[in-house]
Amino acid sequence: MYLYLYLCTVLSLTSSVFGDCGCGINRNDECDNGINPSKKYTREVNDLSTDNNERRNQDFDTSSMVLIKGGTFEMGTNKPVFETDHEGPLRNVTVNTFYLDKYEVSNQQFYDFVRKTGYKTEAEAFGDSFIFEMSLPEEDRDKYQDVRAVQAPWWVKLKDVSWKHPEGPGSTIESRMNHPVIHVSWNDAVKFCEHVRKRLPTEAEWEMACRAGLKQKLYPWGNKLNPKGQHWANIWQGEFPKNKYG
């Protein structure tokens, strides 16, 4: 089964020198061969200057990226909410300096990639994808009890859903070209990365960037769910997935 999620996490791109992906410690032997699966998708960055936050090799534009300085941080937790996510145990992981995209990959960027390469996503090839049930009209949500993800029933599989038609054949991205592209798989993300000469971040790189220098906090800003005067993406308040507040 393939589940197509928002690219705000899937396609935050890096151009970096490699560090430890952190998965060799507690990922059920997934990485016990010591190979970082992202390595083969990376264009090596030469002459990286961490003193002035600039790359001397100017043929690679990093104006839309942010430099994340390498170091050792506490990855994971000893109090995981979902055991199956393998977020524990807490351990120290060292990551080298890398660049990370500031923004999600947009529909416009993905459209340009498809137009230039003729690439066809897996959702288009399979003829279906999953959409969040709250995207459906309320009166239609009970019609799809047999086509839901087993462990995440709020994802409903529908035909003719793709990045170009995010809610089905009657929907379009014409007014959402600056929105994050959705309904792409890991394989689709890798192909996009190859095209723009970047790669996907490792799990450790992503967590290090998201922690924003804090230690064992629930959110990049601290432990409070909704800090006053701040707005963040991907934060759900209420009984998931039934209600959303704030």
Side-chain angles (χ1 to χ4, degrees):
M1 180 187 298
Y2 290 81
L3 187 62
Y4 299 87
L5 304 178
Y6 290 91
L7 262 73
C8 50
T9 56
V10 175
L11 276 185
S12 290
L13 309 177
T14 59
S15 174
S16 74
V17 201
F18 287 105
D20 177 10
C21 72
C23 59
I25 300 174
N26 187 43
R27 285 295 181 275
N28 294 334
D29 297 327
E30 289 180 16
C31 299
D32 60 356
N33 59 6
I35 297 175
N36 182 334
S38 295
K39 284 188 176 181
K40 61 182 179 179
Y41 306 115
T42 302
R43 175 179 180 269
E44 190 69 29
V45 176
N46 297 317
D47 299 323
L48 179 66
S49 171
T50 58
D51 295 330
N52 58 10
N53 291 1
E54 292 181 354
R55 269 198 339 108
R56 298 191 185 114
N57 189 358
Q58 293 301 317
D59 67 340
F60 198 96
D61 183 15
T62 58
S63 60
S64 62
M65 306 180 82
V66 61
L67 184 72
I68 309 295
K69 290 190 176 182
T72 300
F73 78 107
E74 292 183 348
M75 181 174 176
T77 177
N78 287 329
K79 299 178 180 179
V81 177
F82 301 104
E83 295 285 348
T84 54
D85 285 348
H86 303 294
E87 295 178 349
L90 179 68
R91 67 274 192 194
N92 289 329
V93 173
T94 299
V95 176
N96 290 332
T97 298
F98 62 99
Y99 279 98
L100 184 71
D101 272 6
K102 294 179 182 179
Y103 311 108
E104 302 92 338
V105 173
S106 67
N107 283 318
Q108 182 67 61
Q109 290 172 307
F110 201 79
Y111 169 81
D112 292 340
F113 156 64
V114 170
R115 180 174 54 84
K116 292 176 181 178
T117 65
Y119 182 77
K120 188 175 185 179
T121 63
E122 292 189 332
E124 293 171 288
F126 298 148
D128 56 44
S129 185
F130 287 81
I131 69 170
F132 187 47
E133 67 171 6
M134 299 292 281
S135 300
L136 296 169
E138 188 172 358
E139 62 272 17
D140 293 339
R141 294 172 191 169
D142 292 334
K143 299 179 181 179
Y144 302 99
Q145 297 303 318
D146 297 330
V147 288
R148 295 172 179 262
V150 176
Q151 295 182 338
W154 45 87
W155 288 109
V156 180
K157 186 170 71 171
L158 294 179
K159 292 183 178 179
D160 300 320
V161 172
S162 69
W163 71 275
K164 291 185 292 186
H165 307 290
E167 288 89 33
S171 61
T172 178
I173 60 172
E174 289 183 4
S175 63
R176 292 180 273 181
M177 297 306 288
N178 200 37
H179 288 208
V181 64
I182 60 176
H183 297 296
V184 297
S185 68
W186 183 88
N187 289 322
D188 300 333
V190 167
K191 291 298 183 182
F192 178 89
C193 291
E194 290 177 343
H195 177 69
V196 296
R197 299 186 299 161
K198 298 181 182 180
R199 66 170 172 85
L200 295 172
T202 66
E203 181 181 358
E205 287 168 342
W206 180 251
E207 183 168 333
M208 182 180 186
C210 290
R211 286 192 178 277
L214 300 181
K215 290 185 178 181
Q216 294 304 298
K217 299 296 183 181
L218 294 177
Y219 309 101
W221 57 85
N223 285 326
K224 292 184 178 180
L225 177 60
N226 189 21
K228 185 177 180 180
Q230 298 185 34
H231 301 280
W232 301 85
N234 299 329
I235 297 298
W236 186 280
Q237 297 186 52
E239 181 186 355
F240 183 83
K242 300 298 182 183
N243 300 300
K244 182 179 180 180
Y245 307 102

